[in-house]
Amino acid sequence: MSHDPAPFESPFNTIPPVVIVLVVIVAAIELTLSAGATGVVGGPGAIGWRIAALNNYAFSPAVWDYVWTRGDTSPELLKRFLTYAFVHGSFTDALFGVALLLALGKFVGDVFSGAATLAVFVVGTLVGALAYGVFVTGPVPLYGVWPAVYGLIGAFTYILWLRLGQAGENQIAAFRLIGFLLGLQLVFGLIFGSSPMWIAELAGFVAGFAASIVLAPGGWAALLYRLRQR
């Protein structure tokens, strides 16, 4: 008895398109900067592309100071609340960021709509920058996709939290991943010195979790129902 071979299905078909687009943007920018740094493209002047990108698109407490204290809402400053997520300090940093963005984006995107998944990414990015501007002082810039990734971790945690509740299990278990990551950061901070970027990452997580209450399928209706019951 013969069996027809199963049709080939690209693994990218199972990844939400919005996640693919975000991954491609981050990866394309990093590959360009890395190629310039190694002299593959752009000539000698390309060596400074990464520094120029960080100067033009990274976020810093000074940006928040200009926006909040001085009332400067020029597009040049406001764009940095979002654009910092697409530039990285090194190829390795971008590589790990893209890998987690792909994995968590796939998980969240399988439950949330494409628009909701993008909203979690954007909210995590914006709130991460806002927290960094409010609570961090000094010249250390904020860059990289990590606050957005932590926003997706927040959405991932919310999904697990709901599923554990529906199964009658301990919902605290949903927070194991963020607890592990924060503990890992503490260990690395003690060994190699801490970076204030954890503030933006934690804020991104909280924002992603909170936004998921509304963005999850049926979330808005469920929230309104709970509010009416009070």
Side-chain angles (χ1 to χ4, degrees), residues 77-185:
L77 291 177
L78 294 181
K79 74 179 183 183
R80 293 172 181 263
F81 282 82
L82 186 61
T83 57
Y84 78 87
F86 298 96
V87 291
H88 293 79
S90 68
F91 177 81
T92 303
D93 185 38
L95 179 64
F96 281 105
V98 165
L100 283 176
L101 175 60
L102 191 62
L104 289 162
K106 166 73 168 63
F107 184 92
V108 175
D110 283 345
V111 179
F112 288 18
S113 67
T117 303
L118 178 60
V120 171
F121 180 95
V122 172
V123 167
T125 302
L126 294 177
V127 175
L130 179 62
Y132 195 83
V134 171
F135 295 109
V136 177
T137 58
V140 180
L142 173 66
Y143 50 82
V145 76
W146 292 101
V149 167
Y150 271 77
L152 291 170
I153 293 175
F156 168 84
T157 301
Y158 181 76
I159 294 169
L160 290 183
W161 183 78
L162 284 181
R163 290 180 178 177
L164 289 172
Q166 292 168 354
E169 299 180 22
N170 185 4
Q171 291 177 287
I172 297 298
F175 295 89
R176 285 177 180 171
L177 177 59
I178 186 62
F180 170 77
L181 291 174
L182 291 177
L184 196 62
Q185 284 203 359

